Amino acid sequence: MAQNFSWLHRGVAEIFPQPHDADSETESLEKRLLNADRPLRIKLGIDPTGADIHLGHSIPVRKLRAFQDAGHKAVLIIGDFTARIGDPTGKSDVRRQLTEADVAQNAQTYLDQVRPILDFDTPGRLEVRYNSEWLSRLDLGKILELLSTMTVGQMLAKEGFAERYRKENPIFLHEFLYPLMQGFDSVAVEADVELGGTDQKFNIAVGRDLQRHFGLNPQFGLLVPILIGTDGVQKMSKSLGNYVGLSEHPSQKYQKLQGVPDNLLSQYFELLTDLPLDSLPENPRDRQEFLAWEIVRQYHGEQAANEAKEAAKSGGKEGALPEFSLAAVAQFPAKLAFILGATGLCKSTGEGKRKIQEGGVRLDGEKVADADLTFAAPGDLSGKVLQVGKKNFVRLVE
């Protein structure tokens, strides 16, 4: 059985429950998959709390694709309702609540970015749902029923809540609703398996409890590791600058990935590729380059991967991107809309502003939302890649 399900166990930190667990239904996930008389419903929820996804976010999405390839149905839940609260997991403070417009814009960019990973085209293999479909309809009676399934003590056992309570940081009551709402998603879509990072075990377990409460067969939880960033120390995060964004230019991706520390290469190959782990290059430098090439190929195609590799060899870290000297900007502070016109990426400052408002401008892979975004000095932009649309890029230099 283990050999038949090698795709299932690759890059997995934990599957629960196991047959020996106290709350187990005596059946393993492998047995459920083997004996299923229908495609199982494999749930992955993503909250569009930001505009972009990095490689760390791609890991559960890749596992969702593996289930698709094994003949099961991927149920991708866009948490357009839960994103307006924000998952409190791992947060030391309350999260800023997003507007409905913020969430809708972010959701579309998320779908665009996971399209190279998931099978969107084969009928019956993907179901995309928005949890506002059911959560926005919950009346007070149903909310009280959900709240009655858990105690305050159980909520405070959640790691992030426990830490905040100990430090006397505020915990707002709406945050207690988040795990219950994520769990109710599993009820609404009748999930058989829920995927998530290792930090999601509490929320997935709540889903199991709620499915029992509503008379459904409890889902299995499948947890994947949290990816360490390119610094080799902390988890991949945009705020830490150790990330590789899915929307970044191929040369940017290649540049970052060819510098992944040697001790992380095995984990990156296991979690981010489908390559046999016993057939990788022995030399660490060759492994770095192969990793960079393979991941660029996944998202941009073989030609782009070859071009990024050649650019890295011929142009060093700057790659083959055209450059724009910020010395050509006569005066700082300068608005990004003006710089878009100066670079030639847009015909004028007015068009630059419109492109930003339409969501078509990115700076170092991150979507720019503020049409009046202003930079005080050239050094604030030096080395960054400015992008309009999918194919127009320049690297800003002093």
Side-chain angles (χ1 to χ4, degrees):
M1 184 177 294
Q3 184 178 0
N4 294 337
F5 289 104
S6 57
W7 62 268
L8 175 66
H9 292 281
R10 177 169 175 145
V12 170
E14 182 181 357
I15 296 174
F16 69 94
Q18 291 295 320
H20 53 76
D21 292 344
D23 72 338
S24 171
E25 287 71 36
T26 73
E27 182 181 52
S28 66
L29 177 55
E30 294 91 338
K31 189 173 181 181
R32 175 82 64 90
L33 290 166
L34 200 60
N35 296 334
D37 57 0
R38 59 172 175 81
L40 297 188
R41 296 174 62 76
I42 316 301
K43 170 196 170 189
L44 174 63
I46 53 175
D47 279 356
T49 52
D52 298 295
I53 298 176
H54 58 60
L55 285 176
H57 298 130
S58 77
I59 295 170
V61 183
R62 286 179 47 78
K63 184 58 68 175
L64 191 60
R65 176 58 188 263
F67 275 99
Q68 282 186 304
D69 291 343
H72 300 284
K73 174 169 283 192
V75 183
L76 182 65
I77 296 180
I78 305 296
D80 61 329
F81 195 93
T82 44
R84 291 161 65 184
I85 293 178
D87 186 356
T89 299
K91 302 299 176 184
S92 59
D93 296 295
V94 64
R95 297 185 69 151
R96 178 180 72 88
Q97 290 184 255
L98 301 177
T99 67
E100 191 172 347
D102 290 336
V103 172
Q105 186 174 22
N106 292 344
Q108 187 54 55
T109 65
Y110 273 35
L111 287 174
D112 291 342
Q113 290 169 77
V114 301
R115 192 169 290 274
I117 305 174
L118 294 177
D119 182 354
F120 277 75
D121 301 320
T122 305
R125 294 187 75 179
L126 177 64
E127 185 177 307
V128 178
R129 304 285 292 273
Y130 292 78
N131 64 12
S132 60
E133 175 189 337
W134 49 85
L135 293 179
S136 64
R137 298 175 184 172
L138 293 179
D139 58 22
L140 184 57
K142 183 63 73 173
I143 292 171
L144 289 173
E145 182 179 359
L146 290 178
L147 290 170
S148 71
T149 64
M150 292 194 73
T151 67
V152 172
Q154 287 173 312
M155 280 292 184
L156 289 178
K158 182 175 169 64
E159 183 179 350
F161 287 150
E163 182 71 7
R164 285 163 65 182
Y165 187 73
R166 185 182 66 80
K167 292 182 176 179
E168 298 185 359
N169 288 344
I171 303 171
F172 291 88
L173 291 177
H174 75 275
E175 295 182 275
F176 277 178
L177 276 171
Y178 186 92
L180 292 166
M181 289 194 296
Q182 181 177 325
F184 192 73
D185 289 349
S186 294
V187 174
V189 302
E190 299 185 4
D192 294 297
V193 181
E194 181 171 1
L195 311 181
T198 50
D199 59 349
Q200 290 295 310
K201 186 170 185 178
F202 181 93
N203 294 347
I204 294 174
V206 170
R208 284 176 51 78
D209 292 340
L210 287 179
Q211 285 178 314
R212 282 198 195 93
H213 176 80
F214 287 100
L216 300 176
N217 197 16
Q219 65 188 10
F220 283 88
L222 188 151
L223 307 179
V224 295
I226 305 297
L227 189 68
I228 300 299
T230 55
D231 60 353
V233 179
Q234 295 178 286
K235 74 175 185 179
M236 186 170 284
S237 168
K238 296 189 76 171
S239 63
L240 296 173
N242 63 355
Y243 70 99
V244 180
L246 300 195
S247 62
E248 288 186 273
H249 187 276
S251 290
Q252 281 183 290
K253 278 195 181 79
Y254 193 97
Q255 173 191 327
K256 290 181 178 182
L257 288 164
Q258 70 172 350
V260 170
D262 295 351
N263 65 308
L264 291 183
L265 288 172
S266 294
Q267 184 191 47
Y268 272 55
F269 274 112
E270 181 177 16
L271 297 177
L272 302 174
T273 81
D274 294 323
L275 297 169
L277 301 180
D278 57 0
S279 62
L280 302 175
E282 292 186 9
N283 181 278
R285 182 58 188 157
D286 292 341
R287 282 195 178 205
Q288 288 173 316
E289 292 180 348
F290 187 32
L291 174 72
W293 184 90
E294 170 60 20
I295 292 180
V296 172
R297 182 200 65 77
Q298 287 180 25
Y299 292 97
H300 303 282
E302 190 167 330
Q303 180 177 344
N306 289 335
E307 290 173 355
K309 182 177 181 178
E310 289 304 311
K313 287 182 178 180
S314 61
K317 289 188 175 181
E318 302 308 314
L321 289 177
E323 295 181 352
F324 173 79
S325 173
L326 293 165
V329 178
Q331 186 174 353
F332 276 85
K335 289 188 176 182
L336 187 64
F338 174 80
I339 294 171
L340 284 165
T343 62
L345 290 173
C346 293
K347 295 178 181 178
S348 65
T349 300
E351 185 186 26
K353 190 170 184 177
R354 286 195 301 274
K355 289 292 185 182
I356 293 173
Q357 291 170 335
E358 293 167 0
V361 176
R362 292 176 182 271
L363 187 62
D364 259 8
E366 185 166 356
K367 183 175 288 187
V368 178
D370 181 4
D372 293 317
L373 181 63
T374 301
F375 292 89
D380 297 334
L381 287 166
S382 182
K384 296 182 182 295
V385 174
L386 186 59
Q387 172 186 352
V388 177
K390 294 184 177 180
K391 297 182 179 179
N392 300 310
F393 301 81
V394 296
R395 188 183 299 277
L396 304 173
V397 297
E398 291 189 78

